[in-house]
Amino acid sequence: MTTNPLPLLHARDLPTTGEELRSATSTVNALVAGLRASPSATDSVRLRQALAPDHYETAGPQEAPSLEDAFSEHDAFFGVARAHGPADLFLRALLVAEIDTALDLARTASSLSPAERSTLVSGGSALLCHRRARHGSGNLVRPPEDRTAPPADEHTAQLRWKSGHRLFFAHLQAITVTCGCAVHSRTAAEQAAYLEYTVLFCTSAALAMRHAADFAPELYVRSIRPTMTPPHVGSGFSGLQTRDHYHLVQSLDGLGTRLLPDVVEGTTYRKFEEAMERLYAAHVHVCRRFGGDTNASLRMEASKEDSGTTGAERARQYAGLRVRKLGGRRSAA
């Protein structure tokens, strides 16, 4: 897997309408014309070379200095570069992150089921083909067959932790994009169609979290957690420094009040709310897997908080607050 940073568009450059997203998919479809879907590493590398941008403009600071410093530290740790450029860069980065995950799965095993592994790397294909991708059928990126050896050393665990997070960030961007397209659509049918994509990306983002943590807890304690403490990073390193989640939360604020009533009352919106709950539950799962049921988070440790609350419980509290930001205007039952 390449060590070059993944160029993720800054939030201000992400597509916000269906027209912008369709233009981006047309550009990317032209780039990958003639490249077939295959689980082989050779074909995946060729596809990645076709999609990775030769150059891009680095996005300058856009937030208040304290926020920008925290976001930039988080980006640098996980190997992300913030880019300014055309909307198709969003989709190219998403596909590159999916390819990197497929290559990781080719090296080491996963506890995800075959269907879950397919969903994990199918979102970019779904947007390119304007359809919901199911179980790898027609996907541009495909996971390989099962591997028997899980990440068993510090190096492979580090690769999975960081590449899995990069895919997670790309999925967060896709949630922001598809929600924005839904809000800017004029008909209930179009809004519901974009929310179907959002459900897919909520599901794949939750799987990306599980994938990122898919190695033995002792490897996390021995190798990964220490790299997220001083002097490697600032004190209190936290998922709250995730730039893409910050912008996603802003875009979701009161989402239900900005969609047509028929959509908010419909089954697709309910599936979306359930998918968001599963997404945050996946974060709680990672906290619990790596000792969060009994220990404080790095942020809580740095602040010397002594509330008796564990890292996993604090993650559950944040999850509830964020899901409630969706708002809505359903009729009373």
Side-chain angles (χ1 to χ4, degrees):
M1 183 179 68
T2 180
T3 58
N4 292 333
L6 179 70
L8 290 176
L9 274 181
H10 196 282
R12 70 179 184 272
D13 288 340
L14 291 173
T16 58
T17 67
E19 290 78 8
E20 291 175 344
L21 184 57
R22 285 191 290 273
S23 176
T25 59
S26 295
T27 299
V28 175
N29 272 318
L31 285 173
V32 300
L35 293 174
R36 62 187 179 88
S38 170
S40 78
T42 299
D43 288 338
S44 294
V45 169
R46 287 177 58 242
L47 181 59
R48 193 189 194 285
Q49 290 171 342
L51 288 164
D54 296 326
H55 62 276
Y56 54 88
E57 182 181 344
T58 302
Q62 293 293 310
E63 315 298 341
S66 59
L67 273 179
E68 188 62 43
D69 288 346
F71 290 158
S72 296
E73 178 181 64
H74 196 266
D75 283 346
F77 178 85
F78 285 106
V80 169
R82 290 297 156 177
H84 167 65
D88 63 88
L89 189 57
F90 148 70
L91 188 51
R92 293 168 69 177
L94 170 61
L95 286 161
V96 166
E98 290 179 346
I99 292 167
D100 286 345
T101 298
L103 291 170
D104 178 36
L105 290 168
R107 286 190 300 268
T108 53
S110 169
S111 66
L112 301 180
S113 70
E116 288 173 330
R117 294 199 303 273
S118 177
T119 299
L120 181 65
V121 297
S122 68
S125 298
L127 288 180
L128 283 178
C129 300
H130 305 292
R131 56 152 176 76
R132 281 291 303 272
R134 296 182 183 275
H135 308 309
S137 177
N139 286 352
L140 187 63
V141 182
R142 291 185 182 178
E145 299 298 323
D146 287 344
R147 293 293 182 268
T148 57
D153 59 67
E154 296 179 2
H155 177 67
T156 53
Q158 283 276 6
L159 286 176
R160 178 157 290 188
W161 181 248
K162 293 188 176 183
S163 66
H165 272 82
R166 286 195 292 272
L167 180 59
F168 175 67
F169 305 151
H171 286 153
L172 293 183
Q173 286 200 341
I175 296 170
T176 300
V177 167
T178 53
C179 280
C181 290
V183 168
H184 287 93
S185 295
R186 297 181 179 180
T187 69
E190 288 178 342
Q191 289 188 353
Y194 280 114
L195 281 183
E196 286 284 348
Y197 286 119
T198 308
V199 171
L200 170 64
F201 284 113
C202 287
T203 302
S204 55
L207 291 172
M209 271 280 90
R210 287 174 52 195
H211 172 73
D214 196 11
F215 51 85
E218 56 265 27
L219 288 175
Y220 175 83
V221 173
R222 186 170 72 239
S223 173
I224 292 176
R225 186 180 175 94
T227 67
M228 297 188 293
T229 60
H232 306 286
V233 295
S235 180
F237 191 74
S238 168
L240 293 176
Q241 296 172 235
T242 306
R243 189 189 302 264
D244 300 296
H245 183 257
Y246 174 83
H247 291 294
L248 172 62
V249 170
Q250 290 184 317
S251 71
L252 293 180
D253 193 6
L255 176 68
T257 65
R258 293 181 284 143
L259 297 170
L260 294 172
D262 286 351
V263 175
V264 181
E265 297 281 352
T267 58
T268 301
Y269 194 82
R270 292 182 187 276
K271 289 193 296 182
F272 162 62
E273 289 180 312
E274 292 167 357
M276 284 296 299
E277 290 172 356
R278 291 194 299 272
L279 171 55
Y280 283 112
H283 180 225
V284 176
H285 161 80
V286 173
C287 291
R288 295 182 63 186
R289 177 169 176 77
F290 295 138
D293 270 343
T294 55
N295 299 320
S297 68
L298 291 170
R299 187 180 182 87
M300 295 163 69
E301 285 181 355
S303 66
K304 303 189 186 309
E305 180 179 332
D306 189 21
S307 63
T309 301
T310 65
E313 179 56 34
R314 182 56 51 84
R316 280 190 286 268
Q317 293 170 359
Y318 283 137
L321 290 172
R322 289 157 183 163
V323 171
R324 284 194 291 275
K325 287 179 72 69
L326 295 174
R329 50 187 174 190
R330 289 203 187 99
S331 303

